[in-house]
């Protein structure tokens, strides 16, 4: 996915190890006689991009990340008020 | 569509997950984070020197849900996660433009 986004010109991203569940319902386990739902390891990738690129990014990510099995993941789009590059103080489009 | 971001004490995770599950919310993302707020961390001692531990381990939960469910979720989480002590955490609500299910390409309400 990093490579695919790089080809679109997106080199900035933040990656976090997370635990998640959805339709996959985590992983049901019995521990000491009690049933509980576990969370599965997932990777969260965050990118801030210009609005004109959003559809392309969605296409790229779904193509690369899809296996067709439950547990493939989700993409969420949020509005961003602004961005600032700490090194230079630039803000807006020049910062992303 | 709204994102509910919740910062809670690690000890409350199981309870909150269970409460959300009983309510019908099974989709969530959980991260281990470090946080500071009114609790202001605490002061530690190492080799005779005092130092400030400003960040405490917390758990961050993220859920994306339909707008009309937000109030119920907030109530559920506060009831379950509250101890009354400083350090209980916070809930933030964000607007979400859209959501996509990677497996099928569905977007909008069907994706959450």
């Amino acid at each position: 996915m990093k490579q695919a986004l790089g080809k679109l010109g997106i080199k900035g991203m933040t990656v976090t190890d997370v635990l998640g569940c959805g339709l996959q319902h985590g992983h049901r386990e019995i521990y000491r006689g009690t049933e509980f739902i576990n969370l599965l390891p997932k990777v969260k990738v965050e990118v801030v991009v210009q609005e004109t690129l959003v559809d392309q990014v969605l296409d790229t990510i779904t193509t690369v990340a899809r296996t067709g099995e439950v547990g493939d993941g989700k993409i969420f789009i949020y509005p961003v008020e602004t961005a600032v590059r700490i090194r230079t103080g630039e803000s807006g489009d020049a910062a992303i | 569509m709204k994102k509910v971001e919740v910062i809670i004490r690690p000890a409350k995770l199981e309870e909150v997950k269970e409460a959300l599950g009983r309510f019908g919310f099974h989709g969530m993302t959980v991260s281990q984070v470090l946080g500071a707020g009114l609790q202001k961390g605490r002061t530690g001692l190492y080799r005779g020197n005092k130092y400030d531990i400003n960040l405490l381990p917390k758990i961050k939960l993220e859920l994306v849900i339909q707008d009309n469910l937000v109030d119920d979720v907030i109530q559920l989480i506060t009831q379950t996660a509250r101890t009354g002590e400083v350090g209980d955490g916070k809930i933030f609500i964000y607007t979400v433009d859209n959501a996509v299910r990677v497996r099928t390409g569905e977007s909008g309400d069907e994706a959450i």
Side-chain angles (χ1 to χ4, degrees), chain B residues 49-112:
Chain B
N49 292 319
K50 264 199 215 165
Y51 67 106
D52 283 315
I53 308 166
N54 289 314
L55 299 171
L56 295 168
K58 300 282 174 190
I59 293 283
K60 173 160 81 167
L61 276 126
E62 293 166 276
L63 298 102
V64 176
I65 58 179
Q66 282 135 334
D67 292 18
N68 58 345
L69 294 171
V70 173
D71 289 332
D72 285 330
V73 170
I74 293 178
Q75 228 190 359
L76 193 117
I77 292 174
T78 38
Q79 274 169 352
T80 315
R82 176 175 292 164
T83 66
E85 303 291 320
V86 162
D88 271 352
K90 286 210 165 65
I91 303 177
F92 302 106
I93 317 291
Y94 302 92
T95 50
V96 182
D97 278 350
N98 202 1
V100 177
R101 190 189 299 284
V102 174
R103 174 172 58 94
T104 59
E106 292 167 294
S107 67
D109 279 350
E110 280 113 48
I112 61 173

Short mmCIF file of all heavy atoms in Angstrom, two decimals, chain B residues 49-112:
data_model
loop_
_atom_site.label_atom_id
_atom_site.label_comp_id
_atom_site.label_asym_id
_atom_site.label_seq_id
_atom_site.Cartn_x
_atom_site.Cartn_y
_atom_site.Cartn_z
N ASN B 49 16.75 10.98 42.05
CA ASN B 49 16.29 12.21 41.41
C ASN B 49 14.80 12.16 41.12
O ASN B 49 14.31 11.19 40.59
CB ASN B 49 17.03 12.44 40.08
CG ASN B 49 18.49 12.75 40.31
OD1 ASN B 49 18.83 13.48 41.22
ND2 ASN B 49 19.34 12.18 39.48
N LYS B 50 14.12 13.23 41.46
CA LYS B 50 12.68 13.31 41.15
C LYS B 50 12.53 13.71 39.70
O LYS B 50 13.27 14.53 39.19
CB LYS B 50 12.04 14.42 42.01
CG LYS B 50 11.40 13.90 43.26
CD LYS B 50 10.40 14.91 43.80
CE LYS B 50 10.40 14.87 45.33
NZ LYS B 50 9.73 16.03 45.89
N TYR B 51 11.57 13.10 39.03
CA TYR B 51 11.29 13.53 37.66
C TYR B 51 9.79 13.43 37.41
O TYR B 51 9.08 12.71 38.10
CB TYR B 51 12.08 12.72 36.64
CG TYR B 51 11.69 11.27 36.56
CD1 TYR B 51 10.95 10.78 35.48
CD2 TYR B 51 12.05 10.37 37.55
CE1 TYR B 51 10.59 9.45 35.41
CE2 TYR B 51 11.70 9.04 37.49
CZ TYR B 51 10.97 8.58 36.41
OH TYR B 51 10.62 7.26 36.35
N ASP B 52 9.33 14.18 36.43
CA ASP B 52 7.90 14.19 36.14
C ASP B 52 7.54 13.16 35.09
O ASP B 52 8.12 13.14 34.01
CB ASP B 52 7.48 15.57 35.60
CG ASP B 52 7.37 16.57 36.72
OD1 ASP B 52 6.78 16.21 37.76
OD2 ASP B 52 7.89 17.67 36.56
N ILE B 53 6.61 12.27 35.44
CA ILE B 53 6.06 11.38 34.41
C ILE B 53 4.79 12.06 33.98
O ILE B 53 3.79 12.03 34.68
CB ILE B 53 5.71 10.00 35.00
CG1 ILE B 53 6.90 9.44 35.75
CG2 ILE B 53 5.28 9.05 33.89
CD1 ILE B 53 6.52 8.27 36.64
N ASN B 54 4.83 12.72 32.86
CA ASN B 54 3.68 13.51 32.48
C ASN B 54 2.64 12.75 31.70
O ASN B 54 1.52 13.21 31.57
CB ASN B 54 4.13 14.72 31.67
CG ASN B 54 4.83 15.71 32.56
OD1 ASN B 54 4.35 16.01 33.63
ND2 ASN B 54 5.97 16.19 32.11
N LEU B 55 3.00 11.63 31.11
CA LEU B 55 2.05 10.92 30.27
C LEU B 55 1.67 9.60 30.91
O LEU B 55 2.52 8.87 31.37
CB LEU B 55 2.66 10.67 28.89
CG LEU B 55 3.02 11.95 28.13
CD1 LEU B 55 3.79 11.62 26.88
CD2 LEU B 55 1.76 12.72 27.77
N LEU B 56 0.40 9.31 30.95
CA LEU B 56 -0.08 8.05 31.52
C LEU B 56 -0.65 7.15 30.44
O LEU B 56 -1.22 7.65 29.47
CB LEU B 56 -1.17 8.35 32.56
CG LEU B 56 -0.69 9.13 33.77
CD1 LEU B 56 -1.86 9.62 34.58
CD2 LEU B 56 0.21 8.24 34.63
N PRO B 57 -0.52 5.86 30.61
CA PRO B 57 -1.10 4.96 29.60
C PRO B 57 -2.62 5.06 29.60
O PRO B 57 -3.24 5.05 30.67
CB PRO B 57 -0.67 3.56 30.05
CG PRO B 57 0.26 3.75 31.18
CD PRO B 57 0.14 5.14 31.69
N LYS B 58 -3.17 5.18 28.41
CA LYS B 58 -4.62 5.19 28.25
C LYS B 58 -4.95 4.30 27.07
O LYS B 58 -4.08 3.88 26.32
CB LYS B 58 -5.12 6.63 27.96
CG LYS B 58 -4.81 7.64 29.02
CD LYS B 58 -5.74 7.52 30.21
CE LYS B 58 -5.31 8.48 31.32
NZ LYS B 58 -6.01 8.24 32.57
N ILE B 59 -6.24 4.04 26.91
CA ILE B 59 -6.70 3.31 25.73
C ILE B 59 -7.57 4.26 24.92
O ILE B 59 -8.41 4.97 25.49
CB ILE B 59 -7.53 2.07 26.13
CG1 ILE B 59 -6.66 1.05 26.83
CG2 ILE B 59 -8.22 1.46 24.92
CD1 ILE B 59 -5.78 0.24 25.90
N LYS B 60 -7.33 4.30 23.61
CA LYS B 60 -8.19 5.10 22.72
C LYS B 60 -9.06 4.16 21.91
O LYS B 60 -8.56 3.23 21.29
CB LYS B 60 -7.34 5.97 21.79
CG LYS B 60 -8.19 6.68 20.75
CD LYS B 60 -7.51 7.88 20.15
CE LYS B 60 -6.53 7.57 19.07
NZ LYS B 60 -6.15 8.80 18.32
N LEU B 61 -10.36 4.43 21.93
CA LEU B 61 -11.31 3.65 21.13
C LEU B 61 -11.87 4.58 20.08
O LEU B 61 -12.22 5.72 20.37
CB LEU B 61 -12.50 3.22 21.98
CG LEU B 61 -12.39 1.99 22.81
CD1 LEU B 61 -12.73 2.33 24.23
CD2 LEU B 61 -13.38 0.97 22.31
N GLU B 62 -11.97 4.10 18.86
CA GLU B 62 -12.60 4.91 17.80
C GLU B 62 -13.76 4.13 17.20
O GLU B 62 -13.60 2.97 16.82
CB GLU B 62 -11.57 5.24 16.72
CG GLU B 62 -10.47 6.17 17.22
CD GLU B 62 -9.29 6.23 16.26
OE1 GLU B 62 -8.42 5.35 16.35
OE2 GLU B 62 -9.24 7.15 15.44
N LEU B 63 -14.91 4.78 17.13
CA LEU B 63 -16.08 4.15 16.51
C LEU B 63 -16.67 5.13 15.51
O LEU B 63 -16.78 6.31 15.81
CB LEU B 63 -17.21 3.91 17.51
CG LEU B 63 -17.05 3.02 18.69
CD1 LEU B 63 -16.84 3.84 19.93
CD2 LEU B 63 -18.32 2.21 18.86
N VAL B 64 -17.11 4.65 14.36
CA VAL B 64 -17.81 5.51 13.41
C VAL B 64 -19.25 5.01 13.35
O VAL B 64 -19.49 3.83 13.09
CB VAL B 64 -17.16 5.48 12.02
CG1 VAL B 64 -17.96 6.31 11.03
CG2 VAL B 64 -15.74 6.02 12.10
N ILE B 65 -20.19 5.90 13.65
CA ILE B 65 -21.60 5.48 13.76
C ILE B 65 -22.52 6.51 13.13
O ILE B 65 -22.11 7.62 12.82
CB ILE B 65 -22.00 5.32 15.24
CG1 ILE B 65 -21.78 6.63 16.00
CG2 ILE B 65 -21.22 4.20 15.89
CD1 ILE B 65 -22.18 6.55 17.45
N GLN B 66 -23.78 6.12 12.96
CA GLN B 66 -24.77 7.06 12.41
C GLN B 66 -25.03 8.16 13.43
O GLN B 66 -24.99 7.95 14.64
CB GLN B 66 -26.08 6.34 12.10
CG GLN B 66 -26.02 5.55 10.83
CD GLN B 66 -26.62 4.18 10.98
OE1 GLN B 66 -26.64 3.64 12.07
NE2 GLN B 66 -27.12 3.63 9.89
N ASP B 67 -25.33 9.35 12.90
CA ASP B 67 -25.53 10.53 13.75
C ASP B 67 -26.54 10.31 14.88
O ASP B 67 -26.33 10.74 16.00
CB ASP B 67 -26.04 11.71 12.90
CG ASP B 67 -24.97 12.20 11.94
OD1 ASP B 67 -24.02 11.46 11.68
OD2 ASP B 67 -25.10 13.32 11.44
N ASN B 68 -27.64 9.61 14.58
CA ASN B 68 -28.69 9.48 15.58
C ASN B 68 -28.32 8.57 16.74
O ASN B 68 -29.03 8.49 17.74
CB ASN B 68 -30.01 9.02 14.93
CG ASN B 68 -29.84 7.70 14.21
OD1 ASN B 68 -28.73 7.24 13.95
ND2 ASN B 68 -30.95 7.05 13.88
N LEU B 69 -27.19 7.86 16.63
CA LEU B 69 -26.79 6.96 17.70
C LEU B 69 -25.77 7.60 18.65
O LEU B 69 -25.45 7.03 19.70
CB LEU B 69 -26.19 5.68 17.11
CG LEU B 69 -27.18 4.82 16.32
CD1 LEU B 69 -26.46 3.70 15.60
CD2 LEU B 69 -28.24 4.25 17.24
N VAL B 70 -25.28 8.78 18.29
CA VAL B 70 -24.19 9.38 19.06
C VAL B 70 -24.55 9.60 20.54
O VAL B 70 -23.78 9.24 21.43
CB VAL B 70 -23.74 10.72 18.42
CG1 VAL B 70 -22.74 11.42 19.31
CG2 VAL B 70 -23.12 10.45 17.06
N ASP B 71 -25.73 10.16 20.80
CA ASP B 71 -26.07 10.44 22.20
C ASP B 71 -26.13 9.17 23.03
O ASP B 71 -25.64 9.13 24.17
CB ASP B 71 -27.42 11.17 22.28
CG ASP B 71 -27.30 12.61 21.78
OD1 ASP B 71 -26.19 13.18 21.88
OD2 ASP B 71 -28.30 13.15 21.27
N ASP B 72 -26.71 8.10 22.47
CA ASP B 72 -26.79 6.84 23.20
C ASP B 72 -25.39 6.30 23.51
O ASP B 72 -25.13 5.83 24.61
CB ASP B 72 -27.52 5.78 22.36
CG ASP B 72 -29.02 6.03 22.33
OD1 ASP B 72 -29.54 6.58 23.32
OD2 ASP B 72 -29.66 5.68 21.32
N VAL B 73 -24.52 6.38 22.54
CA VAL B 73 -23.16 5.86 22.74
C VAL B 73 -22.43 6.66 23.81
O VAL B 73 -21.75 6.11 24.68
CB VAL B 73 -22.36 5.88 21.41
CG1 VAL B 73 -20.90 5.57 21.65
CG2 VAL B 73 -22.93 4.86 20.45
N ILE B 74 -22.60 7.97 23.79
CA ILE B 74 -21.93 8.81 24.80
C ILE B 74 -22.40 8.43 26.19
O ILE B 74 -21.61 8.26 27.12
CB ILE B 74 -22.19 10.30 24.55
CG1 ILE B 74 -21.53 10.73 23.25
CG2 ILE B 74 -21.65 11.13 25.70
CD1 ILE B 74 -21.78 12.17 22.90
N GLN B 75 -23.71 8.25 26.34
CA GLN B 75 -24.25 7.90 27.64
C GLN B 75 -23.71 6.56 28.11
O GLN B 75 -23.27 6.39 29.25
CB GLN B 75 -25.78 7.79 27.55
CG GLN B 75 -26.43 8.53 28.65
CD GLN B 75 -27.91 8.25 28.73
OE1 GLN B 75 -28.47 7.51 27.94
NE2 GLN B 75 -28.53 8.83 29.73
N LEU B 76 -23.74 5.58 27.20
CA LEU B 76 -23.27 4.23 27.50
C LEU B 76 -21.82 4.24 27.96
O LEU B 76 -21.46 3.63 28.96
CB LEU B 76 -23.37 3.42 26.21
CG LEU B 76 -23.23 1.94 26.32
CD1 LEU B 76 -24.52 1.34 25.87
CD2 LEU B 76 -22.12 1.43 25.44
N ILE B 77 -20.99 4.96 27.24
CA ILE B 77 -19.56 4.97 27.56
C ILE B 77 -19.32 5.69 28.88
O ILE B 77 -18.57 5.21 29.74
CB ILE B 77 -18.75 5.61 26.44
CG1 ILE B 77 -18.80 4.72 25.20
CG2 ILE B 77 -17.31 5.82 26.87
CD1 ILE B 77 -18.15 5.32 23.99
N THR B 78 -19.95 6.85 29.09
CA THR B 78 -19.71 7.57 30.34
C THR B 78 -20.16 6.73 31.52
O THR B 78 -19.47 6.62 32.52
CB THR B 78 -20.38 8.95 30.38
OG1 THR B 78 -21.65 8.87 29.76
CG2 THR B 78 -19.56 9.99 29.66
N GLN B 79 -21.32 6.08 31.41
CA GLN B 79 -21.78 5.26 32.53
C GLN B 79 -20.81 4.13 32.85
O GLN B 79 -20.52 3.84 34.00
CB GLN B 79 -23.15 4.64 32.23
CG GLN B 79 -24.27 5.55 32.58
CD GLN B 79 -25.60 5.06 32.04
OE1 GLN B 79 -25.67 4.10 31.28
NE2 GLN B 79 -26.67 5.73 32.42
N THR B 80 -20.29 3.49 31.79
CA THR B 80 -19.43 2.34 32.00
C THR B 80 -18.02 2.73 32.43
O THR B 80 -17.42 2.09 33.28
CB THR B 80 -19.30 1.54 30.68
OG1 THR B 80 -20.59 1.41 30.11
CG2 THR B 80 -18.74 0.16 30.94
N ALA B 81 -17.49 3.82 31.87
CA ALA B 81 -16.08 4.13 32.10
C ALA B 81 -15.84 5.05 33.29
O ALA B 81 -14.71 5.24 33.72
CB ALA B 81 -15.49 4.77 30.84
N ARG B 82 -16.88 5.62 33.84
CA ARG B 82 -16.70 6.60 34.90
C ARG B 82 -16.33 5.97 36.22
O ARG B 82 -16.95 5.01 36.66
CB ARG B 82 -18.00 7.40 35.05
CG ARG B 82 -17.98 8.39 36.20
CD ARG B 82 -19.25 9.21 36.19
NE ARG B 82 -19.30 10.09 35.04
CZ ARG B 82 -20.42 10.69 34.62
NH1 ARG B 82 -21.55 10.48 35.25
NH2 ARG B 82 -20.41 11.48 33.57
N THR B 83 -15.32 6.55 36.90
CA THR B 83 -15.03 6.13 38.28
C THR B 83 -15.23 7.32 39.21
O THR B 83 -15.31 7.17 40.41
CB THR B 83 -13.55 5.68 38.47
OG1 THR B 83 -12.70 6.81 38.26
CG2 THR B 83 -13.18 4.57 37.52
N GLY B 84 -15.29 8.53 38.66
CA GLY B 84 -15.44 9.72 39.47
C GLY B 84 -14.11 10.36 39.82
O GLY B 84 -14.05 11.49 40.31
N GLU B 85 -13.01 9.64 39.55
CA GLU B 85 -11.68 10.19 39.85
C GLU B 85 -11.15 10.93 38.63
O GLU B 85 -11.48 10.61 37.51
CB GLU B 85 -10.69 9.05 40.16
CG GLU B 85 -11.11 8.14 41.29
CD GLU B 85 -11.05 8.85 42.62
OE1 GLU B 85 -10.10 9.63 42.84
OE2 GLU B 85 -11.96 8.64 43.43
N VAL B 86 -10.26 11.90 38.86
CA VAL B 86 -9.55 12.57 37.76
C VAL B 86 -8.81 11.46 36.99
O VAL B 86 -8.24 10.56 37.59
CB VAL B 86 -8.55 13.60 38.34
CG1 VAL B 86 -7.50 13.97 37.31
CG2 VAL B 86 -9.29 14.83 38.81
N GLY B 87 -8.86 11.54 35.65
CA GLY B 87 -8.20 10.50 34.83
C GLY B 87 -9.20 9.57 34.17
O GLY B 87 -8.81 8.62 33.50
N ASP B 88 -10.48 9.81 34.30
CA ASP B 88 -11.51 8.97 33.69
C ASP B 88 -11.46 9.03 32.17
O ASP B 88 -11.84 8.08 31.50
CB ASP B 88 -12.90 9.37 34.17
CG ASP B 88 -13.30 8.62 35.43
OD1 ASP B 88 -12.57 7.69 35.83
OD2 ASP B 88 -14.34 8.96 36.01
N GLY B 89 -11.03 10.19 31.63
CA GLY B 89 -10.88 10.27 30.18
C GLY B 89 -11.78 11.29 29.53
O GLY B 89 -12.40 12.11 30.19
N LYS B 90 -11.83 11.25 28.20
CA LYS B 90 -12.64 12.20 27.45
C LYS B 90 -13.25 11.52 26.23
O LYS B 90 -12.78 10.49 25.77
CB LYS B 90 -11.77 13.37 26.97
CG LYS B 90 -11.39 14.33 28.05
CD LYS B 90 -11.21 15.74 27.51
CE LYS B 90 -11.19 16.77 28.62
NZ LYS B 90 -10.04 16.64 29.52
N ILE B 91 -14.30 12.15 25.69
CA ILE B 91 -14.90 11.68 24.45
C ILE B 91 -14.90 12.85 23.48
O ILE B 91 -15.26 13.97 23.85
CB ILE B 91 -16.35 11.21 24.67
CG1 ILE B 91 -16.39 10.13 25.73
CG2 ILE B 91 -16.95 10.70 23.35
CD1 ILE B 91 -17.79 9.65 26.07
N PHE B 92 -14.46 12.62 22.25
CA PHE B 92 -14.48 13.65 21.22
C PHE B 92 -15.34 13.17 20.06
O PHE B 92 -15.29 12.01 19.68
CB PHE B 92 -13.06 13.94 20.71
CG PHE B 92 -12.12 14.37 21.79
CD1 PHE B 92 -11.14 13.50 22.26
CD2 PHE B 92 -12.21 15.63 22.35
CE1 PHE B 92 -10.26 13.90 23.26
CE2 PHE B 92 -11.34 16.04 23.35
CZ PHE B 92 -10.37 15.16 23.81
N ILE B 93 -16.13 14.08 19.51
CA ILE B 93 -16.98 13.72 18.36
C ILE B 93 -16.49 14.48 17.13
O ILE B 93 -16.34 15.69 17.18
CB ILE B 93 -18.45 14.12 18.60
CG1 ILE B 93 -18.89 13.77 20.01
CG2 ILE B 93 -19.36 13.48 17.55
CD1 ILE B 93 -19.02 12.31 20.29
N TYR B 94 -16.25 13.75 16.07
CA TYR B 94 -15.80 14.34 14.82
C TYR B 94 -16.81 14.08 13.72
O TYR B 94 -17.49 13.06 13.73
CB TYR B 94 -14.47 13.73 14.37
CG TYR B 94 -13.36 13.86 15.35
CD1 TYR B 94 -13.12 12.87 16.30
CD2 TYR B 94 -12.53 14.98 15.34
CE1 TYR B 94 -12.10 12.98 17.21
CE2 TYR B 94 -11.49 15.09 16.26
CZ TYR B 94 -11.28 14.09 17.20
OH TYR B 94 -10.26 14.21 18.10
N THR B 95 -16.85 14.98 12.74
CA THR B 95 -17.70 14.71 11.57
C THR B 95 -16.93 13.80 10.62
O THR B 95 -15.70 13.86 10.55
CB THR B 95 -18.02 16.02 10.82
OG1 THR B 95 -16.80 16.71 10.59
CG2 THR B 95 -18.95 16.89 11.62
N VAL B 96 -17.63 12.94 9.92
CA VAL B 96 -17.01 12.04 8.94
C VAL B 96 -17.65 12.32 7.59
O VAL B 96 -18.86 12.35 7.48
CB VAL B 96 -17.25 10.56 9.32
CG1 VAL B 96 -16.56 9.65 8.32
CG2 VAL B 96 -16.77 10.28 10.71
N ASP B 97 -16.83 12.54 6.56
CA ASP B 97 -17.37 12.79 5.23
C ASP B 97 -17.92 11.52 4.60
O ASP B 97 -18.95 11.54 3.94
CB ASP B 97 -16.29 13.38 4.31
CG ASP B 97 -16.13 14.88 4.52
OD1 ASP B 97 -16.98 15.47 5.22
OD2 ASP B 97 -15.17 15.45 3.99
N ASN B 98 -17.21 10.41 4.78
CA ASN B 98 -17.66 9.16 4.16
C ASN B 98 -16.91 7.97 4.76
O ASN B 98 -15.93 8.14 5.47
CB ASN B 98 -17.41 9.22 2.65
CG ASN B 98 -18.29 8.25 1.89
OD1 ASN B 98 -19.12 7.55 2.47
ND2 ASN B 98 -18.11 8.19 0.57
N ALA B 99 -17.40 6.77 4.47
CA ALA B 99 -16.74 5.54 4.89
C ALA B 99 -16.84 4.54 3.76
O ALA B 99 -17.81 4.55 2.99
CB ALA B 99 -17.41 4.98 6.14
N VAL B 100 -15.84 3.68 3.60
CA VAL B 100 -15.83 2.67 2.54
C VAL B 100 -15.45 1.33 3.14
O VAL B 100 -14.53 1.25 3.94
CB VAL B 100 -14.78 3.02 1.45
CG1 VAL B 100 -14.70 1.94 0.39
CG2 VAL B 100 -15.10 4.36 0.82
N ARG B 101 -16.18 0.25 2.76
CA ARG B 101 -15.82 -1.09 3.21
C ARG B 101 -14.86 -1.65 2.17
O ARG B 101 -15.21 -1.83 1.00
CB ARG B 101 -17.07 -1.97 3.32
CG ARG B 101 -16.81 -3.30 4.00
CD ARG B 101 -18.03 -4.23 3.90
NE ARG B 101 -19.21 -3.68 4.54
CZ ARG B 101 -19.40 -3.66 5.87
NH1 ARG B 101 -18.49 -4.19 6.66
NH2 ARG B 101 -20.49 -3.14 6.37
N VAL B 102 -13.60 -1.91 2.57
CA VAL B 102 -12.57 -2.33 1.62
C VAL B 102 -12.95 -3.61 0.88
O VAL B 102 -12.74 -3.75 -0.32
CB VAL B 102 -11.21 -2.50 2.33
CG1 VAL B 102 -10.17 -3.08 1.40
CG2 VAL B 102 -10.72 -1.16 2.87
N ARG B 103 -13.58 -4.57 1.58
CA ARG B 103 -13.88 -5.88 0.98
C ARG B 103 -14.84 -5.76 -0.21
O ARG B 103 -14.71 -6.48 -1.20
CB ARG B 103 -14.45 -6.82 2.06
CG ARG B 103 -14.93 -8.16 1.53
CD ARG B 103 -15.31 -9.11 2.67
NE ARG B 103 -16.33 -8.56 3.52
CZ ARG B 103 -17.63 -8.77 3.38
NH1 ARG B 103 -18.08 -9.53 2.40
NH2 ARG B 103 -18.49 -8.22 4.21
N THR B 104 -15.82 -4.85 -0.11
CA THR B 104 -16.87 -4.81 -1.13
C THR B 104 -16.92 -3.51 -1.91
O THR B 104 -17.57 -3.43 -2.94
CB THR B 104 -18.24 -4.96 -0.45
OG1 THR B 104 -18.37 -3.88 0.48
CG2 THR B 104 -18.35 -6.27 0.29
N GLY B 105 -16.29 -2.46 -1.41
CA GLY B 105 -16.37 -1.17 -2.07
C GLY B 105 -17.62 -0.37 -1.69
O GLY B 105 -17.79 0.77 -2.12
N GLU B 106 -18.50 -0.93 -0.84
CA GLU B 106 -19.71 -0.20 -0.41
C GLU B 106 -19.30 1.07 0.31
O GLU B 106 -18.30 1.08 1.02
CB GLU B 106 -20.48 -1.00 0.64
CG GLU B 106 -21.12 -2.25 0.15
CD GLU B 106 -21.57 -3.10 1.34
OE1 GLU B 106 -20.69 -3.58 2.09
OE2 GLU B 106 -22.78 -3.26 1.51
N SER B 107 -20.09 2.12 0.13
CA SER B 107 -19.77 3.32 0.90
C SER B 107 -21.04 3.86 1.54
O SER B 107 -22.14 3.36 1.30
CB SER B 107 -19.11 4.36 0.01
OG SER B 107 -20.01 4.85 -0.94
N GLY B 108 -20.88 4.86 2.37
CA GLY B 108 -22.02 5.44 3.06
C GLY B 108 -22.46 4.60 4.24
O GLY B 108 -21.67 3.85 4.80
N ASP B 109 -23.72 4.70 4.59
CA ASP B 109 -24.23 4.01 5.78
C ASP B 109 -24.03 2.50 5.73
O ASP B 109 -23.87 1.87 6.77
CB ASP B 109 -25.73 4.31 6.00
CG ASP B 109 -25.94 5.66 6.68
OD1 ASP B 109 -24.95 6.26 7.13
OD2 ASP B 109 -27.10 6.10 6.75
N GLU B 110 -24.02 1.90 4.55
CA GLU B 110 -23.83 0.44 4.45
C GLU B 110 -22.43 0.02 4.88
O GLU B 110 -22.19 -1.15 5.14
CB GLU B 110 -24.02 -0.06 3.01
CG GLU B 110 -25.43 -0.23 2.59
CD GLU B 110 -25.80 0.77 1.52
OE1 GLU B 110 -25.01 0.90 0.56
OE2 GLU B 110 -26.84 1.42 1.66
N ALA B 111 -21.53 0.99 4.89
CA ALA B 111 -20.14 0.62 5.20
C ALA B 111 -19.87 0.61 6.70
O ALA B 111 -18.82 0.18 7.13
CB ALA B 111 -19.18 1.57 4.50
N ILE B 112 -20.83 1.15 7.50
CA ILE B 112 -20.54 1.22 8.94
C ILE B 112 -21.47 0.35 9.76
O ILE B 112 -22.42 -0.17 9.28
CB ILE B 112 -20.58 2.67 9.47
CG1 ILE B 112 -21.96 3.31 9.28
CG2 ILE B 112 -19.50 3.49 8.79
CD1 ILE B 112 -22.05 4.68 9.95
#
